[in-house]
Amino acid sequence: MEIYIRTASEEDAAALLEIYAPYVEHTAITFEYVVPTVEEFGSRIKRILKKYPYLVAERNGIIVGYAYADVFKGRAAYDWAVETTIYVKQDQKKTGVGKALYEVLEKTLAKQHILNLNACIAYCSEEDEYLTKNSVQFHEHMGYKMAGEFHQCGYKFHRWYHMVWMEKLIGEHVENPPAVRAFPEIGFTTEKV
């Protein structure tokens, strides 16, 4: 089944929240406690799209996942680094949606002159009903390497979870790198994968 990757819009907020809400309510994958409102989620999409890609994956016209990049740290020296995020509809896991989203996201970020992809991932010593190691395994499969671990820094469902940073370098680190381009400048169009 073909997957189409396109730019998200504020109008997608409700559909994206349908994907995100179960992660908030039933998992420790996100440390967010309360599902945001559609308006708040739409504002997040709008803010991110000013500089970075926010992509959705569709199968048969239905949104089945989304991925985006956002600022890594708010200092100029970090401009060539981003934090990546991905969520896939529960019944679409292990169907190629995540891989397709991240491949297009990575290609798009490279066009923006981004060099470092960083993923902040909830992590557990032992898997439980709220958190497995699937996200770390997915990122490893996509070429990310472990960069660091913070112990017992997230508290959700009456238990403590760790957080890890994973990274992937996608470009050459040279003296005087080209300036990062804003997402709207690179002319992204829908891609079939």
Side-chain angles (χ1 to χ4, degrees):
M1 235 182 301
E2 294 174 331
I3 301 169
Y4 290 87
I5 309 291
R6 64 168 174 81
T7 302
S9 70
E10 288 178 79
E11 289 74 34
D12 293 319
L16 299 185
L17 267 177
E18 286 182 25
I19 294 170
Y20 184 59
Y23 287 97
V24 174
E25 296 169 335
H26 306 295
T27 80
I29 289 171
T30 173
F31 287 165
E32 197 158 16
Y33 281 8
V34 178
V35 176
T37 64
V38 172
E39 293 76 20
E40 181 182 348
F41 212 75
S43 293
R44 292 179 188 182
I45 295 167
K46 182 179 179 181
R47 178 190 58 78
I48 289 168
L49 281 172
K50 288 178 183 174
K51 186 167 184 181
Y52 300 109
Y54 201 125
L55 307 176
V56 298
E58 291 185 342
R59 272 195 170 133
N60 298 324
I62 297 170
I63 295 175
V64 292
Y66 64 95
Y68 61 89
D70 203 356
V71 65
F72 175 60
K73 291 288 281 181
R75 301 282 188 268
Y78 291 109
D79 279 357
W80 295 267
V82 294
E83 181 178 348
T84 58
T85 300
I86 186 167
Y87 287 95
V88 175
K89 200 171 181 182
Q90 299 290 333
D91 66 355
Q92 294 291 310
K93 290 182 177 182
K94 299 183 190 238
T95 66
V97 171
K99 181 179 180 184
L101 275 165
Y102 252 25
E103 285 176 346
V104 174
L105 182 68
E106 182 177 319
K107 184 169 69 172
T108 304
L109 291 167
K111 288 179 184 175
Q112 290 184 260
H113 305 153
I114 298 295
L115 301 172
N116 293 40
L117 310 183
N118 303 291
C120 178
I121 302 169
Y123 191 69
C124 52
S125 298
E126 294 186 26
E127 295 182 351
D128 62 28
E129 66 268 33
Y130 303 112
L131 187 63
T132 67
K133 296 181 181 177
N134 286 350
S135 188
V136 166
Q137 293 161 348
F138 168 77
H139 282 83
E140 286 173 342
H141 178 72
M142 296 304 299
Y144 285 67
K145 306 284 184 218
M146 196 67 73
E149 181 173 354
F150 296 83
H151 299 92
Q152 298 180 337
C153 62
Y155 185 74
K156 193 170 179 181
F157 302 121
H158 306 288
R159 51 190 86 179
W160 289 100
Y161 292 99
H162 310 311
M163 183 268 291
V164 296
W165 279 102
M166 296 184 76
E167 67 180 355
K168 182 175 183 178
L169 308 181
I170 62 168
E172 188 178 348
H173 292 74
V174 298
E175 189 174 346
N176 300 315
V180 172
R181 299 169 66 197
F183 176 66
E185 295 173 20
I186 65 167
F188 182 85
T189 57
T190 299
E191 291 195 29
K192 181 173 78 170
V193 291

